[in-house]
């Protein structure tokens, strides 16, 4: 754990609001720049525009009220700064046997491997459990070994690997899933957390 994190005592998790759009966009871009070097071409990463990502997330956050619990977005906050976020949605049609999907999970690099990502994933899963949905799908770029290890450590089963096109880039993705969310919840509780979370 680095010096930034050791000086922080608490991280709070809360529902995102429209006012969080820019902070969420910044976290996403910072995470992509750190995690996808060597996986996604530098030219693509270096041309990511904050304003495009802000618009995307503002649109999602503005739709939350109408979507009810079909879509959820949580942010992790420390000392007034958003350091991570996670989102999920109920799928309009079952995919790979799953009814809900984790659509994003990002943390600023300095905060990764601290337990925050696990807690955010748990928050998303609880939203769907409350609606009687007991399974969850998550996609990850196949070459992202850290993300794959994260899902595997939490009991996620590899369901499929496939080619996909992202914004003109030809990539490969892996699908992980939990057919029983109690396995995910037990895994989150079993692993130690480095920070006080509430």
């Amino acid at each position: 754990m680095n010096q930034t994190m050791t000086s922080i005592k608490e991280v709070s998790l809360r529902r995102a609001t429209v006012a969080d759009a820019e902070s969420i966009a910044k976290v996403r871009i910072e995470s992509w720049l750190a995690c996808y070097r060597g996986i996604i071409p530098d030219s693509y990463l270096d041309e990511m525009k904050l304003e495009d990502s802000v618009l995307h997330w503002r649109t999602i956050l503005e739709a939350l009220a109408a979507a009810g619990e079909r879509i959820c977005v949580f942010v992790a906050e420390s000392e007034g700064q958003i350091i991570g976020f996670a989102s999920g949605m109920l799928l309009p049609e079952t995919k790979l046997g799953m009814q809900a999907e984790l659509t994003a999970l990002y943390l600023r690099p300095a905060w990764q491997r601290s337990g925050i990502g696990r807690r955010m994933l748990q928050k998303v899963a609880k939203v769907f459990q409350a609606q009687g949905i007991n399974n969850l799908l998550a996609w990850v770029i196949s070459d992202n070994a850290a993300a794959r290890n994260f899902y595997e450590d939490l009991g996620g089963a590899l369901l499929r690997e496939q080619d996909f096109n992202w914004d003109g880039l030809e990539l490969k993705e892996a699908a992980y899933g939990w057919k029983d969310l109690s396995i995910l919840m037990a895994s989150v509780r079993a692993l130690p957390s480095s920070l006080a979370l509430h």
Side-chain angles (χ1 to χ4, degrees), residues 118-119 122 126 129 154 181-193:
R118 297 195 301 269
R119 299 299 179 185
Q122 183 182 51
K126 282 182 176 179
Q129 276 190 316
L154 293 173
L181 284 178
S182 65
I183 293 171
L184 170 61
M185 298 305 184
S187 297
V188 169
R189 288 191 296 270
L191 292 169
S193 178

Side-chain angles (χ1 to χ4, degrees), residues 60-73:
I60 291 171
L61 295 170
E62 286 173 347
L64 287 178
E69 293 291 85
R70 290 183 296 114
I71 300 173
C72 62
V73 184

Side-chain angles (χ1 to χ4, degrees), residues 18-19 21-22 51 53-63:
V18 176
E22 183 172 346
E51 55 269 26
S53 194
V54 171
L55 180 61
H56 172 77
W57 280 100
R58 185 174 290 127
T59 301
I60 291 171
L61 295 170
E62 286 173 347

Side-chain angles (χ1 to χ4, degrees), residues 16 35 40 43 57 59 109 113 149 159 189:
C35 298
I40 290 176
S43 57
W57 280 100
T59 301
R113 290 173 292 282
N149 290 338
L159 304 176
R189 288 191 296 270

